[in-house]
């Protein structure tokens, strides 16, 4: 396996060809199907108004973006973060259209179709005829949605990274032995994943220990290998 980037965007609407623009982008880096802890997150001024219907989805108003950079100002940093990695998105055609439109507007090279991995298509092949939205997949894979009250690019990218790993075959998150702190550049607080589980406290009573010791002595005596020095 290799380095991959999970990406999500928030926008002013549904179609960049009719003037809609990107207002937020969030990326999660994974390597060999494990999150590395590296992220990229930017709010972006769309240089236009944001319709009420879009605000109801993501909660981002034009006032919140008053001091945000324009896309051309973040394009180089975003492309550097993505590098030559495959880009994973849910309903990838949507995010691809917006990202490549924005890249085209500022004269940057687009990300070719062949580099995109669509988790919606993956889910539809695995769960045909079922609801395969990001929310539905999170519920199906028992991925917590508690931190998500509105859509947000970085939050959704985090959720999608968990969904993608499940679609690739799943992994026991409780058995992860590494602890990774996610640095979101001040947008969100540090987030820790995969702390090593501590052993359970012993549940044997002293009386049970004595009974077991007597049994071992009676049955094995000094033949008990684990008692030898």
């Amino acid at each position: 396996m290799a380095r991959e980037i999970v990406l999500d965007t928030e926008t002013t609407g549904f179609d960049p060809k009719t003037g809609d623009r990107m207002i937020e982008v969030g990326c999660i880096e994974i390597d060999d199907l494990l999150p590395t802890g590296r992220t990229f997150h930017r709010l972006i001024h769309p240089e236009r108004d944001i319709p009420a219907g879009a605000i109801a989805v993501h909660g981002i108003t034009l006032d919140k973006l008053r001091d945000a950079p324009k896309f051309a100002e973040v394009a180089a940093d975003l492309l550097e973060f993505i590098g030559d990695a495959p880009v994973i998105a849910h309903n990838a055609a949507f995010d691809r259209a917006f990202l490549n439109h924005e890249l085209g507007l500022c004269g940057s090279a687009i990300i070719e179709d062949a580099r995109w991995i669509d988790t919606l298509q993956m889910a539809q092949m695995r769960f045909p005829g079922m609801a395969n939205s990001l929310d539905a997949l999170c519920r199906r894979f028992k991925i917590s949605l508690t931190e998500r009250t509105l859509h947000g690019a970085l939050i959704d990218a985090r959720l999608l990274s968990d969904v993608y790993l499940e679609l690739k075959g799943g992994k026991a998150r409780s058995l992860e032995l590494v602890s990774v702190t996610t640095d979101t550049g001040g947008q969100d607080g540090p987030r820790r994943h995969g702390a090593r589980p501590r052993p359970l406290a012993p549940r044997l009573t002293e009386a049970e220990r004595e009974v077991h010791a007597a049994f071992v002595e009676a049955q094995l005596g000094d033949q008990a290998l684990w008692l030898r020095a």
Side-chain angles (χ1 to χ4, degrees):
M1 299 302 296
R3 181 176 182 268
E4 299 171 299
I5 299 297
V6 182
L7 177 143
D8 187 72
T9 63
E10 298 299 334
T11 67
T12 65
F14 298 106
D15 190 353
K17 293 180 180 179
T18 60
D20 285 314
R21 301 291 300 273
M22 187 188 301
I23 60 174
E24 186 182 21
V25 59
C27 300
I28 302 288
E29 181 187 65
I30 60 177
D31 195 7
D32 289 336
L33 297 182
L34 288 173
T36 67
R38 293 188 65 224
T39 67
F40 182 93
H41 180 219
R42 295 291 187 276
L43 292 172
I44 299 165
H45 196 291
E47 303 179 73
R48 53 151 293 168
D49 65 321
I50 304 176
I55 294 173
V57 173
H58 47 60
I60 301 174
T61 64
L62 198 58
D63 187 60
K64 291 182 179 179
L65 302 177
R66 181 183 299 126
D67 299 321
K70 298 177 177 63
F71 182 84
E73 299 173 64
V74 306
D77 289 341
L78 175 59
L79 289 175
E80 181 180 5
F81 184 86
I82 294 174
D84 59 359
V87 180
I88 300 155
H90 199 67
N91 188 19
F94 179 89
D95 298 285
R96 182 175 66 235
F98 271 94
L99 181 55
N100 284 342
H101 179 76
E102 296 286 356
L103 290 170
L105 288 178
C106 63
S108 297
I110 65 171
I111 299 178
E112 300 86 355
D113 290 3
R115 288 177 56 190
W116 291 80
I117 298 171
D118 190 349
T119 50
L120 178 58
Q121 292 181 359
M122 293 175 65
Q124 288 170 338
M125 291 180 65
R126 182 166 173 181
F127 306 110
M130 299 178 67
N132 286 306
S133 67
L134 181 57
D135 282 6
L137 290 168
C138 285
R139 288 190 290 269
R140 192 168 301 145
F141 290 129
K142 296 180 172 56
I143 297 168
S144 175
L145 290 164
T146 54
E147 69 173 325
R148 185 183 188 242
T149 54
L150 292 169
H151 286 259
L154 189 60
I155 291 173
D156 285 0
R158 284 173 176 160
L159 295 172
L160 182 57
S161 67
D162 285 342
V163 166
Y164 175 65
L165 298 182
E166 295 288 355
L167 289 170
K168 291 291 286 186
K171 64 186 181 71
R173 284 182 292 273
S174 61
L175 298 181
E176 292 174 5
L177 303 182
V178 296
S179 181
V180 177
T181 299
T182 298
D183 178 7
T184 58
Q187 298 286 353
D188 297 303
R191 181 178 175 180
R192 194 167 294 278
H193 300 277
R196 181 172 182 145
R198 297 179 180 177
L200 293 175
R203 297 183 179 181
L204 289 176
T205 65
E206 189 59 34
E208 289 170 331
R209 290 177 185 275
E210 292 176 358
V211 170
H212 179 262
F215 173 82
V216 171
E217 176 65 26
Q219 298 295 321
L220 299 175
D222 60 3
Q223 298 302 308
L225 296 178
W226 62 89
L227 296 179
R228 296 180 182 180

